[in-house]
């Protein structure tokens, strides 16, 4: 074996990172995957497997979405697959919305928004942005759909209840107060965080960041798998329910 062959010989003890995988190294974890507290592939599967699409969603969308999930799994071997999966995830979301709403309705909605924007001296973004706006405006997604919003809403109510308890104890000179779940649920509180609007503005920007070329590198993409799976599931569940209600109405009209 000459010197050149020696230089290119794969070291089986060295974990891969940025380089092209060899036949010997392609099944090994990316060295960055070993930095996690549990560097076994089972952990990756455990994290991604709960974020599934339901029976209301067309098979074409499920296939594309599961491609994203598989990319996430394979990021165990190639760290940069996280961002490939993330980028593809936004593409699947837009595809799911376009299939649900239909190109004609979206075009009509876009033209309406363009007219309004022109009158107000602003511009309208196409693509995923207009798709997300359609969902929000037609209440196909709502804040209550998302665990993060629910969690923060519950915390806001708890804080409001705590303040109410402190006032009561101070006014009545009490040294103790029994936490009452019934009182908690009746507590009025202000919570104005519009999470769906946050998603409406952030998703298109993140998608464009990838689409126009990006050196972004991070693994924290699971939260978007959760949010996007929720969005796709909810919009197809709701549109299915709407179609059923329309059919019931039509059947009643025929009987009449």
């Amino acid at each position: 074996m000459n010197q050149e062959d020696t230089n290119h010989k794969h070291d089986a003890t060295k974990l891969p990172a940025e380089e092209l995988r060899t036949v010997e190294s392609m099944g090994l974890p990316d060295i960055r995957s070993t930095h996690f507290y549990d560097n076994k592939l089972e952990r990756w599967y455990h994290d991604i497997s709960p974020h599934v699409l339901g029976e209301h969603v067309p098979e074409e969308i499920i296939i594309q979405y599961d491609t994203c999930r598989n990319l996430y799994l394979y990021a165990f071997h190639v760290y940069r697959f996280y961002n490939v999966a993330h980028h593809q995830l936004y593409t699947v979301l837009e595809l799911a919305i376009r299939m649900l709403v239909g190109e004609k309705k979206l075009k009509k909605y876009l033209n309406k928004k363009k007219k309004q924007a022109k009158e107000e001296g602003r511009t309208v973004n196409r693509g995923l942005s207009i798709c997300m706006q359609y969902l929000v405006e037609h209440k196909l997604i709502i804040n209550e759909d998302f665990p993060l919003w629910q969690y923060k809403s519950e915390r806001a109510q708890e804080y409001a209840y705590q303040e109410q308890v402190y006032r009561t104890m101070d006014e009545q000179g009490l040294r103790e107060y029994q936490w009452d779940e019934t009182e908690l649920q009746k507590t009025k509180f202000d919570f104005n965080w519009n999470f769906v609007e946050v998603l409406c503005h952030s998703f298109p920007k993140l998608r464009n960041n990838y689409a126009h070329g990006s050196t972004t590198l991070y693994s924290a993409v699971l939260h978007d798998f959760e949010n996007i799976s929720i969005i796709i599931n909810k919009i197809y569940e709701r549109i299915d329910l709407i179609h059923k209600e329309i059919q019931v109405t039509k059947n009643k009209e025929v009987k009449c």
Side-chain angles (χ1 to χ4, degrees):
M1 182 178 293
N2 59 36
Q3 185 62 43
E4 185 177 354
D5 291 333
T6 303
N7 291 340
H8 286 83
K9 185 179 179 181
H10 171 67
D11 181 356
T13 64
K14 181 181 178 182
L15 294 179
E18 302 291 3
E19 71 275 13
L20 176 68
R21 303 300 187 264
T22 65
V23 173
E24 294 85 2
S25 68
M26 63 188 297
L28 296 175
D30 189 300
I31 191 170
R32 287 160 289 198
S33 297
T34 65
H35 296 165
F36 293 96
Y37 66 91
D38 181 1
N39 60 0
K40 294 181 179 178
L41 184 54
E42 286 78 7
R43 180 243 168 122
W44 272 250
Y45 182 79
H46 177 270
D47 288 344
I48 195 64
S49 58
H51 305 305
V52 299
L53 298 185
E55 59 183 11
H56 296 280
V57 182
E59 185 180 5
E60 304 96 308
I61 300 299
I62 295 175
I63 290 171
Q64 296 296 321
Y65 175 76
D66 279 344
T67 298
C68 300
R69 293 207 295 167
N70 282 325
L71 279 165
Y72 182 89
L73 273 180
Y74 278 92
F76 175 77
H77 304 287
V78 182
Y79 196 87
R80 290 188 180 274
F81 280 4
Y82 285 118
N83 300 129
V84 180
H86 204 197
H87 183 195
Q88 184 66 14
L89 191 59
Y90 296 129
T91 302
V92 174
L93 174 60
E94 182 173 345
L95 176 63
I97 299 170
R98 289 187 177 280
M99 283 186 64
L100 178 90
V101 179
E103 293 296 338
K104 288 184 179 179
K105 282 187 179 179
L106 278 174
K107 186 176 181 180
K108 184 177 180 181
Y109 180 74
L110 175 60
N111 290 335
K112 173 188 170 185
K113 288 298 178 183
K114 279 183 176 179
K115 185 178 180 181
Q116 292 176 351
K118 187 176 181 180
E119 293 171 353
E120 297 170 6
R122 55 185 179 82
T123 58
V124 172
N125 295 320
R126 304 178 180 228
L128 183 56
S129 179
I130 200 68
C131 289
M132 289 294 295
Q133 288 179 48
Y134 185 96
L135 297 185
V136 173
E137 187 170 314
H138 291 81
K139 299 191 182 303
L140 289 170
I141 54 171
I142 56 177
N143 287 319
E144 288 80 358
D145 292 335
F146 301 92
L148 180 58
W149 185 91
Q150 293 171 10
Y151 173 79
K152 290 197 173 185
S153 176
E154 289 168 1
R155 297 293 80 75
Q157 188 172 37
E158 285 182 4
Y159 295 147
Y161 178 56
Q162 287 174 2
E163 290 180 0
Q164 178 180 300
V165 168
Y166 294 148
R167 284 196 302 270
T168 301
M169 292 178 68
D170 185 57
E171 291 168 359
Q172 298 181 15
L174 302 176
R175 299 180 62 184
E176 300 183 342
Y177 196 97
Q178 182 68 40
W179 185 278
D180 190 324
E181 286 293 330
T182 303
E183 288 183 354
L184 169 64
Q185 296 303 321
K186 292 180 180 178
T187 302
K188 295 182 179 180
F189 65 104
D190 293 324
F191 184 66
N192 299 317
W193 187 40
N194 195 339
F195 187 55
V196 293
E197 286 291 346
V198 172
L199 297 180
C200 189
H201 287 93
S202 63
F203 278 0
K205 290 180 179 179
L206 289 167
R207 194 264 181 87
N208 287 340
N209 179 55
Y210 286 123
H212 297 295
S214 172
T215 57
T216 297
L217 179 62
Y218 61 93
S219 62
V221 300
L222 269 175
H223 59 288
D224 275 351
F225 272 97
E226 177 181 50
N227 290 330
I228 288 176
S229 62
I230 288 171
I231 291 172
I232 295 175
N233 281 324
K234 287 296 182 182
I235 63 178
Y236 276 95
E237 285 173 12
R238 287 189 172 118
I239 209 69
D240 188 54
L241 182 61
I242 291 170
H243 289 161
K244 287 179 179 178
E245 290 175 349
I246 291 172
Q247 189 59 48
V248 169
T249 302
K250 286 182 178 179
N251 291 340
K252 287 182 179 179
E253 291 176 351
V254 170
K255 289 180 180 180
C256 292

